[in-house]
Amino acid sequence: EKGGYDHFMLKEIFEQPSVIKDTYRGRLHANLGLIQMAGVEDNLEKFLNAERIVIVACGTSWHAGLVAEYIIEEFARISVEVEYASEFRYRNPIINKNDVVIAISQSGETADTLAAIKLAKEKGAFVFGVCNVVGSSISRETHAGAYTHAGPEIGVASTKAFTTQITVLAMIALRLAKAKGTLTNSDFHRYLQELELIPDKVAEALGTNDKAKEIATIFKDAPNCLYLGRGYNFPVALEGALKLKEISYIHAEGYPAAEMKHGPIALIDEHMPVVVIAPKQGHYDKVVSNIQEIKSRSGKIIAVVTKGDTQVRELADYVIEIPDTSDALSPLLTTIPLQLLSYHIAVMRGCNVDQPRNLAKSVTVE
Ligand code: M6R
């Protein structure tokens, strides 16, 4: 049932090209310039009248929410807040009838997320779910929703759920942008085409598996690791660090790259591996200067770059190349080598990759 892979996690990482396609199939029509999602279409007015969107989730789903914040604000110009469901539910949040709450959950059973939904409903908000498990508690408790079509995710470390969540949320952002006219026609069409190409590019990014394994042999005994990214790839840095922590038990932190000089830079010496997400689009030049700062303090740099990059290659100790895409969709690609890196490090450390200690696949108690 692991389909020839040693672990469910690896199988699920490699399923990403096909499950991303499954997730946009029938919804994304690049040739027609259309996005059709029943849950959004039926409630379009609610989305369009929303003064803001509040996203609630936990763990990796929360990271997908952060990526969505950047995408929805940029494409649809609707203000978005992202909250840990566990914090939201206990802090008497200000929620109005005109707020749209999006709850993201792979399992659809996370206790804190479910409680956050109930609270938002009590306060009169429209609650939209992004779940993977059909018929799950969260999918039943929300007013409407859109499923990710990732298929069963068995590995405790969430991988394909993350990329399919981003796929759904990007489609929502694009649909709203279309309705609001906040993207130019040509940008809108370009994004649809880019999204359609993502599965092939993810497949190409999976070609970094050997490279990730080689880098894993070098850093498998590191006690700490720092992950840095900016913009759309800041949440990917958080997600990369979470993946390393939970399956390899190496302490890791994710940071927005520019925050480094507000504290974490003090940690950097020749023993500190720093994974920097530095695709060509976005804040490339700024990330390059962050890399220079790390290098001058002898940090070991592992950089995720766009194919053909030369500037970062000169500075970094190790580079992992991924295909080019638009900035907003780049998390779907940059996250792939980070999943693989964590996986190989955990395997080399003899960890139980699919069922890491102290963790459950769905956290049904708070
Ligand atoms: O099922 P959910 O998406 O609601 O789960 C949320 C988190 O428990 C989950 O993402 C957790 O952080 C994963 N183990 C991360 O890999």
Side-chain angles (χ1 to χ4, degrees), residues 34-300:
L34 269 181
I35 300 256
Q36 277 178 324
M37 306 170 85
V40 178
E41 229 49 58
D42 295 347
N43 299 284
L44 197 57
E45 287 307 309
K46 292 206 173 66
F47 277 102
L48 297 179
N49 292 331
E51 270 153 39
R52 59 175 190 153
I53 293 174
V54 179
I55 296 179
V56 293
C58 302
T60 290
S61 297
W62 183 77
H63 295 153
L66 287 180
V67 175
E69 173 186 14
Y70 282 65
I71 300 181
I72 296 171
E73 289 203 349
E74 175 70 24
F75 288 9
R77 308 308 295 163
I78 302 172
S79 129
V80 179
E81 278 166 42
V82 190
E83 295 222 30
Y84 284 117
S86 56
E87 288 297 312
F88 178 88
R89 66 179 288 198
Y90 285 120
R91 66 174 193 83
N92 192 16
I94 300 170
I95 293 289
N96 301 310
K97 290 199 171 47
N98 277 344
D99 288 332
V100 168
V101 172
I102 300 181
I104 310 173
S105 175
Q106 186 285 129
S107 62
E109 302 297 344
T110 300
D112 283 321
T113 310
L114 195 55
I117 292 166
K118 290 184 177 156
L119 178 66
K121 279 171 73 182
E122 272 166 36
K123 290 180 180 279
F126 169 69
V127 187
F128 188 91
V130 177
C131 293
N132 191 46
V133 177
V134 177
S136 56
S137 304
I138 291 177
S139 68
R140 283 182 279 117
E141 195 64 45
T142 41
H143 294 116
Y147 284 111
T148 49
H149 296 291
E153 191 181 63
I154 311 290
V156 165
S158 190
T159 52
K160 60 178 181 170
F162 180 65
T163 46
T164 52
Q165 286 163 347
I166 294 173
T167 303
V168 163
L169 293 156
M171 287 191 290
I172 295 175
L174 285 164
R175 179 64 189 94
L176 300 181
K178 173 87 174 170
K180 292 190 70 182
T182 42
L183 280 178
T184 64
N185 250 334
S186 69
D187 279 346
F188 177 76
H189 285 275
R190 186 169 56 82
Y191 282 121
L192 297 198
Q193 278 157 3
E194 272 298 326
L195 192 53
E196 197 169 47
L197 293 175
I198 286 291
D200 287 344
K201 292 185 180 182
V202 170
E204 195 181 331
L206 287 166
T208 61
N209 192 34
D210 289 342
K211 186 81 189 174
K213 195 168 177 178
E214 175 198 326
I215 297 171
T217 57
I218 296 156
F219 294 104
K220 67 179 187 348
D221 297 317
N224 295 291
C225 189
L226 210 53
Y227 286 74
L228 304 175
R230 293 186 82 140
Y232 294 102
N233 283 295
F234 153 54
V236 175
L238 298 182
E239 173 60 8
L242 174 61
K243 224 80 305 174
L244 189 67
K245 276 184 271 215
E246 71 176 328
I247 61 168
S248 74
Y249 319 141
I250 292 175
H251 171 242
E253 300 261 6
Y255 263 96
E259 273 293 305
M260 209 179 49
K261 55 169 73 67
H262 299 282
I265 199 164
L267 290 167
I268 294 177
D269 61 15
E270 70 277 19
H271 305 296
M272 178 64 101
V274 186
V275 177
V276 188
I277 306 153
K280 189 176 81 193
Q281 312 277 352
H283 312 280
Y284 182 74
D285 292 337
K286 297 204 182 293
V287 178
V288 170
S289 36
N290 295 141
I291 292 175
Q292 274 155 343
E293 287 158 9
I294 302 162
K295 199 174 170 63
S296 63
R297 287 160 186 85
S298 311
K300 292 281 168 294

